[in-house]
DNA sequence: TCGCAAAGGATAATAATTATTAAATGCTTC
DNA sequence: GAAGCATTTAATAATTATTATCCTTTGCGA
């Protein structure tokens, strides 16, 4: 069912230098067993069934810990606040995962995306948006520090 | 400077069935004159210099009106709340712009992205994430209604 | 086992966004 | 150009999402 035993989780934590706590384990199990792309709120709802006393803040903290360690990824690089894109014509984005800056790239600068397999039947594609994820010059010259979070 | 005259804005509004108001025009001008991908807060700060009495809620509503009409786009399809991606291995996303659902697509299902021109010097690419934007089967069968917002 | 740094719990604070509602304004019709 | 209705604004209030605070508890190495 769950797929990850306590000893595996223990090992995972040790590898990333994290303390093994009961709530972290429960949160981890919830995350791995939930379909799709769960939100902190959803995780909290599920986790509190096992640990009724748990706090939402704990869930947030644990999730951020996992993200920082690269154990999980974050769906959207640019969440947090609505951003308006004045550029109506199709284009792509160059995204710095450190400073979160977004630069437009012309659509013609990238070869058209091609599928190898057909998509789920009935899905109408409007356009392809390519996000080029990496580290911008400014960020990479400072701080050879921690690897950035992974974004998916 | 601004680039968009009042008559052009007027025409734009009429084409989309929007009333022409002073605040909308100021917000529109602010949006078109700001570099990058402005947030509602930033727009508000700029706009209030011209119309001190304006409300942040008005800015939000005007922006949404513009987004709904497709006059502008939205940088991120999935903003609003943090979503955890349990899938650590590189992959792409199938995104429905109506219901905002996100489905994972294996990286191998898409031909590797290729650049036609070189990126800004010094940008270290980590990975390419392809967002396939469109309308999922469920959403497209219901509602032949309004075209969805445009996402960039 | 002891001690301390790290983590958790409760809750307040802040940020981001949306809803409500009354007053003001745009727009159509005459 | 005025009258009247629909839309928009402004001013909150309310929600939602997230983070900080502060004190207690716990994990884990010495």
């Amino acid at each position: 069912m769950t797929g990850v035993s306590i000893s595996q989780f223990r090992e995972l934590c040790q590898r990333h230098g994290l303390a093994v706590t009961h709530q972290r384990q429960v949160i981890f199990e919830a995350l791995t067993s939930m379909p799709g792309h769960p939100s902190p709120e959803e995780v909290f709802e599920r986790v509190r069934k096992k640990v009724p006393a748990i706090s939402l803040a704990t869930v947030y903290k644990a999730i951020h810990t996992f993200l920082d360690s690269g154990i999980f990824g974050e769906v959207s690089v640019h969440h947090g606040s609505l951003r308006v894109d004045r550029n109506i014509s199709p284009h792509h984005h160059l995204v710095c995962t450190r400073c979160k800056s977004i630069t437009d790239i012309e659509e013609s600068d990238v070869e058209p995306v091609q599928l190898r397999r057909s998509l789920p039947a009935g899905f109408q594609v409007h356009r392809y948006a390519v996000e080029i994820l990496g580290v911008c010059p400014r960020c990479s010259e400072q701080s050879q520090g921690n690897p950035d979070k992974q974004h998916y």
Side-chain angles (χ1 to χ4, degrees), chain A:
Chain A
M1 193 73 237
T2 131
V4 182
S5 71
I6 175 132
S7 65
Q8 286 179 296
F9 179 68
R10 217 176 189 82
E11 188 199 344
L12 190 63
C13 285
Q14 269 159 9
R15 188 153 13 110
H16 291 278
L18 305 177
V20 179
T21 71
H22 182 222
Q23 14 295 76
R24 279 186 181 167
Q25 199 196 328
V26 175
I27 291 167
F28 183 88
E29 279 173 355
L31 281 168
T32 51
S33 68
M34 292 173 80
H37 306 85
S39 69
E41 203 68 43
E42 288 163 351
V43 174
F44 177 59
E45 282 310 316
R46 174 173 278 235
V47 156
R48 70 190 319 187
K49 287 176 188 162
K50 284 209 163 183
V51 187
I54 206 165
S55 152
L56 177 58
T58 300
V59 173
Y60 268 96
K61 277 187 250 182
I63 288 176
H64 276 136
T65 301
F66 293 151
L67 294 182
D68 289 341
S69 302
I71 294 175
F72 292 118
E74 197 179 332
V75 172
S76 182
V77 249
H78 26 64
H79 72 280
S81 148
L82 172 67
R83 295 308 174 92
V84 179
D85 205 327
R86 301 161 302 122
N87 188 349
I88 283 301
S89 56
H91 61 281
H92 303 303
H93 284 136
L94 196 61
V95 181
C96 175
T97 53
R98 290 258 175 90
C99 67
K100 302 293 179 70
S101 68
I102 300 166
T103 311
D104 286 2
I105 296 284
E106 282 190 46
E107 188 177 50
S108 60
D109 287 354
V110 177
E111 293 285 347
V113 172
Q114 297 198 1
L115 299 177
R116 283 178 171 159
R117 290 175 49 184
S118 58
L119 297 173
F123 191 96
Q124 297 176 29
V125 176
H126 285 186
R127 60 180 292 263
Y128 298 93
V130 176
E131 311 259 287
I132 305 176
L133 308 179
V135 180
C136 71
R138 185 170 328 192
C139 285
S140 71
E141 71 182 26
Q142 328 162 336
S143 83
Q144 308 301 319
N146 61 315
D148 34 51
K149 304 182 192 179
Q150 309 204 17
H151 298 277
Y152 300 92

